[in-house]
């Protein structure tokens, strides 16, 4: 293996799983619906560039990110495909959008008037209008404001309304009333437009997995492309297999035999109850492996064993079932031997959602990209400039 990092702690990203997940979603949504792969927050922590490239190879027609900087990051990497910015952009940053062919989300009339000042009449800005149908975050929330926004926009030659969309608050909950209300509201808003834009989309992963929404011709798939269920309750009703793309590994760096009654780590919260083999791992809360994971099990030699004592910034300790040498691989998330620790298990331990787990593993941890069991690339943010 090319030694592109010098501490044995790494994330493995299975690009072939990502590819398969996208193909499965595509077959589910029928082939006339376009997939917009959501790669915000550095591809949910997986690394936006590699994820974007693989998603496009697998058939995704475009990408979505949260803000302009994230889009520019993809452009800098040479990605030329369409990128929709989902969040609010500053009107003056419309220049960046024009120069880099970004598609912006718009829902305020004042934004249109302001942004127009920064664009010449022969330049074109692609926009998607955003409807707030019940999420209460961003978007126009009445038919009247949507119609007047469409009217105003049409008065400027520089804006092209390429799409219209909304976002669901409860698509991942079975039997949600709000979900149906939002869908009805969105359909009403789309119908109220004088001209139907090229792209009409509303489904996130949860909605995509649950139903085919006839009126739409694109979906915005995030969590599902990474092989994760949008919620615990949806796990039982997934219509396609999803393969977890992300796994986290380290190696034992130190092993010692302790006598009974010796304490471990800050605060001395753990005391050996017998003669015990204790190993030190080079991962800690500075890597996003946060202190609340004290007590969480890891896999070593395919067996589960607990993290003991407080997790430090860069290191933590585990109790070994028997002696193992330094250099032994430890899996914190993912498969090892017959064992498997899912991202959902970590999310449950942290009382959060799987989305937050992969996003939280910091850029300090190198991402190793794999395809069919072989390493294809290593990205180490710390050393990316050397
Ligand atoms: C993040 C996001 C998505 C993707 O949601 P998933 O649940 O990960 O599929 C889609 N649309 C918008 C507007 C988002 O912010």
């Amino acid at each position: 293996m090319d030694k592109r990092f010098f501490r044995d702690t790494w994330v493995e990203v299975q690009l072939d799983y990502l590819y398969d997940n996208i193909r499965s979603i595509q077959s589910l949504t029928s082939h006339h619906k376009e997939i917009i792969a959501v790669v915000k927050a550095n591809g949910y922590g997986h690394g936006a560039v590699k994820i974007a490239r693989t998603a496009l190879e697998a058939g995704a027609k475009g990408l979505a990110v949260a803000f302009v900087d994230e889009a520019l990051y993809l452009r800098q990497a040479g990605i030329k495909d369409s990128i929709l910015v989902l969040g609010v952009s500053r009107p003056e940053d419309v220049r960046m959008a024009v120069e880099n062919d970004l598609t912006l989300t718009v829902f305020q009339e004042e934004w249109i008037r302001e942004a127009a000042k920064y664009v010449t009449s022969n330049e074109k800005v692609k926009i998607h209008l955003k409807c707030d149908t019940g999420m209460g975050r961003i978007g126009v929330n009445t038919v009247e404001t949507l119609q007047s926004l469409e009217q105003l926009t049409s008065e400027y030659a520089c804006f092209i309304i390429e799409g219209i969309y909304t976002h669901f608050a409860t698509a991942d909950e079975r039997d949600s009333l709000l979900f149906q209300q939002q869908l009805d509201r969105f359909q009403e808003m789309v119908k109220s437009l004088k001209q139907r834009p090229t792209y009409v989309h509303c489904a996130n992963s949860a909605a995509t997995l649950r139903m085919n929404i006839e009126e739409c011709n694109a979906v915005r798939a995030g969590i599902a492309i990474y092989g994760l269920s949008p919620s615990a309750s949806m796990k039982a009703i997934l219509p396609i297999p999803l393969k977890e793309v992300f796994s986290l590994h380290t190696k034992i760096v130190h092993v010692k035999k302790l006598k009974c009654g010796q304490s471990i780590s800050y605060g001395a919260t753990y005391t050996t109850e017998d003669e015990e083999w204790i190993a030190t791992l080079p991962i800690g809360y500075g890597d996003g492996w946060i202190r609340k994971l004290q007590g969480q099990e890891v896999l070593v030699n395919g067996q589960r064993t607990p993290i003991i004592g407080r997790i430090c910034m860069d290191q933590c300790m585990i109790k070994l079932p028997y002696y193992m040498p330094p250099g032994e691989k430890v899996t914190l998330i993912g498969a090892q031997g017959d064992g498997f620790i899912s991202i959902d298990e970590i999310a449950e331990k942290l009382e959060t959602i799987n989305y937050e787990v992969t996003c939280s593993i910091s850029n300090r941890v190198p991402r190793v990209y794999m395809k069919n069991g072989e390493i294809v690339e290593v990205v180490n943010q710390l050393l990316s400039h050397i």
Side-chain angles (χ1 to χ4, degrees), residues 265-266 283-286 289 291 310-317:
S265 195
Y266 291 120
I283 184 168
Y285 64 77
W289 194 251
R291 289 167 87 244
R310 293 249 168 88
I311 293 174
C312 311
M313 189 183 290
D314 319 298
Q315 304 176 75
C316 64
M317 273 62 80

Side-chain angles (χ1 to χ4, degrees), residues 10 29 35 117 179 204 247 258 279 332:
W10 71 100
T29 59
I35 296 178
K117 296 178 188 165
F179 175 66
N204 53 5
S247 60
L258 292 186
L332 300 103

